[in-house]
Amino acid sequence: MIYLRFVAERCREAHRRKQFKASGKLQTSNKTLTEAPTNMIIQHLTKLRSMDIVLASGSPRRKEILQTAGLSIRIIPSHFEETLDPKSFANPWEYAIATAKGKAEEVAERLKGEGQTPDFVIGADTCVYHEGIIYGKPKDPKDAFDTLSRDKAGCYGIQALGSMLVESIDGDYFNVMGFPIHRFSVNLSKLL
């Protein structure tokens, strides 16, 4: 079982980009993020297509992104109760990672109970972080409206009407859509 925190890392990456923008390069570990990776999942597609890969999400965007990347996946939405308190996390990515992990673990345990052991279970989550506050999943329609009214662009998908609101993107377009396929590809290839 694997849970992937890559969607959560969009917040961390954006924060780092702000800190290092003056230098023109962003360093993580010993690599510059602008360097193209040499090990991507493309070289592993034959192997990956024979693996049982589960997406613990009903998100049509995540499904579309993973399938466009050539992966054959099963969609099994998680029943994980998204009741984690965002205030108990120091950073938005820690909250999103914990939620993604919870989703993946719930699906993996459910499948194990049914006698299934997929090769990978992918859990992902996105949160809103605005002016130092982490916003988790809305509790009800009023909560969703209040959250969206703080961030008007959040109510449009970048692949549709929202595209007219976006002047530029600093990072992965697919991350904005809902799943950072580049980072996922690089990290998954390290596991194979």
Side-chain angles (χ1 to χ4, degrees):
M1 193 254 330
I2 183 173
Y3 72 93
L4 300 169
R5 62 183 185 181
F6 308 117
V7 170
E9 290 187 358
R10 88 171 77 182
C11 298
R12 184 180 336 185
E13 214 170 284
H15 179 72
R16 286 183 189 147
R17 286 183 193 281
K18 284 181 186 175
Q19 288 180 334
F20 294 100
K21 202 166 193 167
S23 71
K25 288 186 179 178
L26 173 61
Q27 297 287 328
T28 53
S29 302
N30 292 323
K31 294 184 178 180
T32 303
L33 284 181
T34 55
E35 293 174 2
T38 56
N39 55 345
M40 301 282 280
I41 62 172
I42 295 168
Q43 65 196 25
H44 302 290
L45 278 179
T46 302
K47 180 178 181 179
L48 286 167
R49 287 184 179 137
S50 68
M51 298 176 94
D52 184 15
I53 302 173
V54 173
L55 175 61
S57 170
S59 165
R61 294 294 163 250
R62 291 183 183 132
K63 174 185 175 183
E64 176 187 359
I65 292 166
L66 289 165
Q67 288 178 334
T68 301
L71 297 179
S72 177
I73 57 172
R74 287 194 293 153
I75 306 299
I76 302 179
S78 175
H79 299 155
F80 176 71
E81 294 281 333
E82 294 188 42
T83 56
L84 299 175
D85 181 8
K87 294 175 189 158
S88 66
F89 295 88
N91 300 295
W93 57 86
E94 291 172 359
Y95 170 77
I97 288 168
T99 305
K101 181 178 180 180
K103 291 176 181 181
E105 288 177 343
E106 186 281 322
V107 169
E109 286 300 314
R110 187 166 18 124
L111 292 175
K112 184 179 176 183
E114 297 171 4
Q116 300 179 48
T117 53
D119 296 297
F120 293 103
V121 174
I122 303 169
D125 191 56
T126 303
C127 65
V128 173
Y129 182 71
H130 182 66
E131 295 182 354
I133 300 171
I134 303 168
Y135 297 91
K137 187 173 187 173
K139 297 174 189 86
D140 53 43
K142 182 189 179 314
D143 190 28
F145 178 80
D146 291 344
T147 300
L148 288 176
S149 67
R150 292 184 194 96
D151 182 11
K152 301 260 189 257
C155 56
Y156 301 103
I158 193 166
Q159 70 282 0
L161 289 175
S163 64
M164 293 180 276
L165 303 172
V166 178
E167 185 176 320
S168 66
I169 297 172
D170 183 15
D172 185 346
Y173 168 81
F174 293 101
N175 199 11
V176 177
M177 275 183 65
F179 195 82
I181 193 64
H182 177 344
R183 182 177 292 253
F184 171 79
S185 174
V186 170
N187 286 291
L188 182 60
S189 69
K190 292 175 185 176
L191 296 173
L192 298 173

